[in-house]
Amino acid sequence: METLYEDLKENLAAIANEEQNILKQSEKCIAMVLDSITLLKKWIVEHPFTHTQEEIHFFKKIKPGFLSELFYYTSLFNIERNKPVGSTELQKIYLHKELDKISDFFDNNREFYQYYRLHATYLDEKYFLRENHEMYLTLDKFIYDSDPQFSTGYDYKVARILANEKLIIYLNKELIILDNSAMVESSKSNLHWTLSKTACIELLYALHSVGAFGTVDLKQIATYFENAFQVDLKNYYRTFLEIRIRKTGRSSFLDLLRDKLIQRMDEADENFY
């Protein structure tokens, strides 16, 4: 089961690298997760638990990992599908409302959230054994997960906790990107990138690799470059892959920058003397 989960995470990461469109990415990831959950359920049917602690571990630790990915990408799909296309301010209001929904979930489940995050165990038999399954926790959410032989109800809550924590990170990053875009728009220059898109992406990755802008996400830097220099960097992950598989000159643009800078300094030295 742990191997299946590791394979799932690798496949999800690969999809994220290959597909930049969030809606298409989410659709592919949802299909991938559903396939993995089907395999997981089949495994449990064919390999019954041998003792209660094994069952508790599965519904507290193993299954929520899979289910949280399903909740995360389903929420991501719905958030992006319903995002307004209006002004930056309108989009920020929308994203803040999504954060408020997550905050409401944590407020409504504060006691269980504290129990889970404190790694408490004294109520595990109540929360994570199927004989104590609480159907009302799942009936209005995912019919797929309402099978009492494959859920305790609280495994659903753990999955929601994990998914919502990831969504908070995503939503906050999107808000930062919107703030940065607004700043760029307000101070937009007439500068245009005149070299190749590949050269710009090579520079983009180099700056991100050395932490030139701190610990910000690569997408933030790419968005800034696009706005500041009037350049389209869509599918920059794919372009970076093409740069990586070059047989020679993997850093050709950076090498050119270095050569031109040294040449300029040499010429300045000659003129000085």
Side-chain angles (χ1 to χ4, degrees), residues 12 69 92 108 113-114 123-124 129 212 216:
L12 293 176
E69 299 291 354
K92 287 171 66 176
N108 294 333
Y113 180 67
Q114 291 174 346
L123 291 176
D124 278 2
L129 289 180
V216 299

Side-chain angles (χ1 to χ4, degrees), residues 63-193:
K63 187 191 167 192
F66 289 83
L67 200 58
S68 70
E69 299 291 354
L70 180 60
F71 292 162
Y72 173 72
Y73 285 106
T74 301
S75 297
L76 196 59
F77 179 85
N78 289 326
I79 288 170
E80 289 298 322
R81 181 183 60 177
N82 297 316
K83 183 186 289 184
V85 293
S87 66
T88 297
E89 196 58 37
L90 188 62
Q91 292 184 49
K92 287 171 66 176
I93 292 172
Y94 171 77
L95 294 178
H96 278 296
K97 285 182 178 179
E98 292 299 319
L99 284 170
D100 288 341
K101 292 178 186 177
I102 295 174
S103 180
D104 288 342
F105 169 82
F106 284 119
D107 286 343
N108 294 333
N109 295 278
R110 184 181 293 109
E111 184 178 338
F112 180 76
Y113 180 67
Q114 291 174 346
Y115 176 87
Y116 179 75
R117 279 303 170 206
L118 289 172
H119 304 287
T121 59
Y122 60 92
L123 291 176
D124 278 2
E125 291 190 1
K126 174 183 182 232
Y127 291 147
F128 303 111
L129 289 180
R130 287 170 295 180
E131 64 186 34
N132 298 321
H133 178 273
E134 296 188 21
M135 182 67 75
Y136 75 90
L137 291 173
T138 55
L139 277 177
D140 62 335
K141 302 297 181 182
F142 269 78
I143 296 175
Y144 179 88
D145 197 42
S146 62
D147 182 354
Q149 294 304 308
F150 193 58
S151 177
T152 70
Y154 285 94
D155 56 308
Y156 160 84
K157 280 198 174 185
V158 174
R160 283 286 307 275
I161 287 170
L162 298 175
N164 282 340
E165 288 176 342
K166 285 180 65 176
L167 282 171
I168 288 172
I169 294 172
Y170 175 81
L171 291 169
N172 281 325
K173 282 184 178 179
E174 290 299 301
L175 284 168
I176 291 172
I177 289 171
L178 288 173
D179 285 337
N180 289 343
S181 297
M183 289 175 62
V184 170
E185 191 65 33
S186 64
S187 60
K188 208 165 191 177
S189 70
N190 293 321
L191 295 176
H192 287 73
W193 184 267

